[in-house]
Amino acid sequence: MNVINVDFKDFSNEKSLRFDFMHIDYVKKIFKSPSYSFKDLFDIVSETDDDYLDNDFLYAEIGDVNKNNEVFPSLLNFNNRDDDLINEPLYKKISKGDIIKCKENDILISKIRPNLKKILFINEDHSNIYYTSAFVCLRPKIAPKILFYSLRTLFFRDLMALSRQGKGYPTLSEKDLLPMKFSKRIIDYLISNEEELLSKIEKLEDKIKILKYDLIDEKYIINNTFKEVFKFNYSKFEELKDI
């Protein structure tokens, strides 16, 4: 009898131990047709720099990003740390190395609860923000925006199949992404029609921006309704607040 001793940490990384239905179904599917590997389309990057240590900088956690490709970062400065007590937890995280910097056209995917579709395309506005390393930063090798929307739609179910159920919610790591395959037929179609698709996408993005300007703030709707129903005098209320 030949007995082999294996470190439990190495044993836990054995891919065949994955027995959840979505993952097994996905593995069966990817071998049925020609495909591109993850490395054919993406690099995983983890970059940062030290400029933020001496200046104001913007920092975003997963909770500061929504599924509409919007970011609401915190403004930090280590020189003002002693006076910025409300953000002390962020300074502690960053001091431990929980910070990455992405470039324009990169794609961020949340490692925690990826099912919430917090997949962010780094456009010009987002490129000056630092992010928590609880995101995976992907650098597309071709057609960045096309691949971004593909991950949110055509290949989103595949992302979920690769995610792991941990602590009651899904998680996704860099290692989970590496075995991912992309249908060659779909990718080739997207690339060959990239110009046409981008034109349609950008028109829709512009339309969304215009519609956002017309949105009425929820707080205004609530306050106005409260004022009408209860005959509340907000002018008097604001005067009393100042006293």
Side-chain angles (χ1 to χ4, degrees):
M1 178 185 291
N2 185 19
V3 178
I4 301 174
N5 293 319
V6 180
D7 186 89
F8 188 76
K9 182 179 179 181
D10 296 332
F11 179 72
S12 68
N13 290 325
E14 171 54 45
K15 296 175 184 177
S16 64
L17 293 175
R18 293 289 302 268
F19 58 84
D20 48 298
F21 171 76
M22 284 185 68
H23 185 268
I24 293 172
D25 187 54
Y26 172 72
V27 171
K28 288 180 180 178
K29 182 184 73 173
I30 62 176
F31 291 108
K32 289 183 178 179
S33 59
S35 59
Y36 288 104
S37 70
F38 180 85
K39 289 186 176 181
D40 288 333
L41 303 179
F42 301 99
D43 284 324
I44 295 177
V45 296
S46 180
E47 301 174 350
T48 187
D49 57 58
D50 296 330
D51 292 345
Y52 66 86
L53 294 175
D54 300 318
N55 304 287
D56 287 346
F57 66 98
L58 297 171
Y59 179 78
E61 297 185 284
I62 291 176
D64 300 323
V65 174
N66 65 26
K67 62 181 180 180
N68 299 321
N69 211 56
E70 296 176 318
V71 189
F72 305 94
S74 299
L75 178 63
L76 304 177
N77 188 318
F78 271 92
N79 294 322
N80 302 327
R81 180 175 180 176
D82 292 339
D83 299 321
D84 191 13
L85 297 179
I86 192 169
N87 285 317
E88 178 58 23
L90 299 183
Y91 290 112
K92 286 183 178 178
K93 288 178 63 175
I94 294 168
S95 297
K96 293 178 180 178
D98 188 0
I99 186 169
I100 58 174
K101 188 74 160 60
C102 297
K103 294 181 179 179
E104 193 171 346
N105 293 326
D106 285 351
I107 299 169
L108 287 180
I109 299 179
S110 171
K111 295 179 182 179
I112 302 169
R113 293 188 175 92
N115 56 309
L116 297 181
K117 270 195 180 179
K118 292 197 174 183
I119 303 175
L120 181 70
F121 183 71
I122 304 298
N123 56 29
E124 185 180 357
D125 295 333
H126 300 155
S127 62
N128 65 333
I129 302 173
Y130 289 87
Y131 297 88
T132 170
S133 55
F135 283 107
V136 181
C137 185
L138 308 184
R139 186 154 293 162
K141 295 181 178 180
I142 53 173
K145 188 171 282 191
I146 296 294
L147 289 180
F148 163 69
Y149 280 107
S150 297
L151 286 172
R152 290 177 58 91
T153 54
L154 298 171
F155 300 110
F156 183 70
R157 180 176 171 80
D158 296 343
L159 279 176
M160 293 303 97
L162 291 166
S163 66
R164 298 171 184 264
Q165 191 69 25
K167 297 183 180 180
Y169 52 79
T171 59
L172 192 67
S173 71
E174 290 91 341
K175 289 181 180 179
D176 294 329
L177 288 169
L178 292 176
M180 191 172 183
K181 301 286 186 181
F182 299 83
S183 166
K184 188 177 186 302
R185 177 182 61 82
I186 293 175
I187 294 296
D188 286 348
Y189 173 83
L190 293 174
I191 300 306
S192 62
N193 294 277
E194 180 182 4
E195 190 174 332
E196 180 185 351
L197 291 170
L198 277 177
S199 176
K200 291 180 179 179
I201 288 171
E202 288 169 357
K203 284 179 182 177
L204 288 171
E205 287 178 335
D206 290 340
K207 187 176 181 180
I208 290 171
K209 286 180 182 178
I210 293 171
L211 290 172
K212 281 182 179 178
Y213 284 116
D214 293 333
L215 283 175
I216 299 175
D217 184 59
E218 290 180 357
K219 187 185 293 185
Y220 172 81
I221 296 172
I222 293 170
N223 287 344
N224 199 48
T225 302
F226 194 84
K227 176 182 176 181
E228 291 181 3
V229 174
F230 295 99
K231 310 301 181 188
F232 193 81
N233 190 334
Y234 269 98
S235 298
K236 185 65 175 178
F237 177 65
E238 293 299 329
E239 289 178 13
L240 291 173
K241 279 171 61 179
D242 292 334
I243 299 175

